[in-house]
Amino acid sequence: MLKAAVPVLALVAVAAGCSSSEGKDEEQLTAQRENYCMQLGTWQKARNAAGTDTPESSGYDEVGAVAQDAFLAMRPLRDEAVGGGRTLAEATVAAMNNSDSEAEGRIVQYCGDVGFETLTR
């Protein structure tokens, strides 16, 4: 079973921007969400491909590297709610580290809700 190391996520206070920066903030949030969903889809594809490989192959190492990219992409969005009382961070960790299919469903639904459902499997 693949176990990716996940750094402890610190809480960061977010200051509200002035109205002239709101459009830029929304664009940045959209770009962060798109990046996360793209990394999630890449992880799903790598995981599925590794499932067909033999345990001796390097596919399992590749899945871990791709998972790290998804964790990094998730960090700025970590506190967004995905339902069931979970944050995006909690659901991502559960899906990738614990093979939690319910958590994976929640993060895939999150990507659908933010308009990037085509980036996931």
Side-chain angles (χ1 to χ4, degrees):
M1 173 93 31
L2 171 69
K3 297 291 181 184
V6 180
V8 176
L9 303 175
L11 295 177
V12 176
V14 178
C18 62
S19 60
S20 64
S21 68
E22 286 179 13
K24 184 176 182 182
D25 291 344
E26 190 63 33
E27 286 177 27
Q28 182 178 10
L29 180 59
T30 299
Q32 289 169 336
R33 288 173 171 166
E34 180 180 23
N35 184 43
Y36 170 74
C37 295
M38 182 173 48
Q39 296 301 329
L40 173 62
T42 302
W43 169 77
Q44 289 174 315
K45 288 176 185 134
R47 178 205 52 200
N48 293 345
T52 62
D53 290 342
T54 61
E56 297 83 31
S57 73
S58 64
Y60 291 97
D61 293 335
E62 183 178 324
V63 174
V66 173
Q68 286 296 336
D69 291 341
F71 285 130
L72 291 173
M74 174 270 307
R75 289 185 70 187
L77 306 167
R78 66 186 168 270
D79 294 327
E80 293 199 10
V82 294
R86 283 187 162 172
T87 64
L88 186 63
E90 293 166 335
T92 301
V93 168
M96 293 185 180
N97 285 353
N98 303 328
S99 301
D100 183 332
S101 60
E102 181 183 335
E104 185 173 349
R106 290 186 188 282
I107 58 179
V108 168
Q109 181 63 48
Y110 166 85
C111 287
D113 290 347
V114 298
F116 298 108
E117 64 279 349
T118 61
L119 299 177
T120 61
R121 71 174 164 102

